Amino acid sequence: MAIERLLIGQTGALIFESAHAQKVFAEKVKEPRCSHHVIHNGLAASEFEEISPDQGAADFVYVGELRWLKGIDLLIEALAPLRRSDGSPATLVMAGDGPDAPALREKIQRLGLEQRVTLVGVQPARDMFARGRCVVVPSRAESLPYIVLEAAAAGRPVIATAVGGIGEIFGPTSSELVTPDNAPALGNAMAAYLADGAGLAASTALRHRHIEAQFSISHMTDQIEAVYRGLVAS
């Protein structure tokens, strides 16, 4: 941060990937006096192709690091009491690895969820989107997580927490975000999906259109080029 404070006097412009990052920079480094812009990360056109769940897909899927910071312990706690409308227990598949993987396995075993939670290791995100009906991102902290972008761009329902720049990704559906670090709130959102998954179709489609307009690679590169051209012209 000290280096960034020194360099800012020699900087023509700052580009932040989210309004959240811009706010954190101002709080922890320095309020930028040079030109500064929020330009969201972009996805390739192929990443906007919608994915349908496989036959026999789990109710929920998590893709990411296996760290408590990502809220994986909360996810397991929220899953434990959940039942489908027919009374059968809800299921979860988790992809990823990380320092808290052993503790996660112990928690799954302690709660008796070995038959309901499947750990598959590190896997491509788009492959995993087909293995679960609803993507869950229960993070305690984030910046602008690609997994939320990718899942929403693939047309999958997403349950996520109100941290970092996730609200910017959710856009007009940001009111659906869940209170972070709160297993009951997360469980309520997951239970609502089990009760009426089709009811989320409208917000899922609205979010997909928002991301397609604001988070494409072409939109991102056009904005970045404009910043550079403006600097060169001045």
Side-chain angles (χ1 to χ4, degrees), residues 143-166:
S143 181
L144 192 78
Y146 259 102
I147 194 63
V148 178
L149 274 175
E150 292 167 332
R156 304 310 308 138
V158 182
I159 294 172
T161 49
V163 295
I166 296 180

Side-chain angles (χ1 to χ4, degrees), residues 43 47 51 125-126 129 135-137 145-158 204 207-208 211:
L43 298 175
E47 295 178 278
I51 295 174
R126 283 182 66 85
F129 295 154
V135 180
V136 185
V137 183
Y146 259 102
I147 194 63
V148 178
L149 274 175
E150 292 167 332
R156 304 310 308 138
V158 182
T204 297
R207 191 157 50 242
H208 184 273
I211 292 174

Side-chain angles (χ1 to χ4, degrees), residues 3-13 34:
I3 293 172
E4 288 179 331
R5 291 188 192 99
L6 290 172
L7 288 176
I8 200 169
Q10 304 174 51
T11 299
C34 62

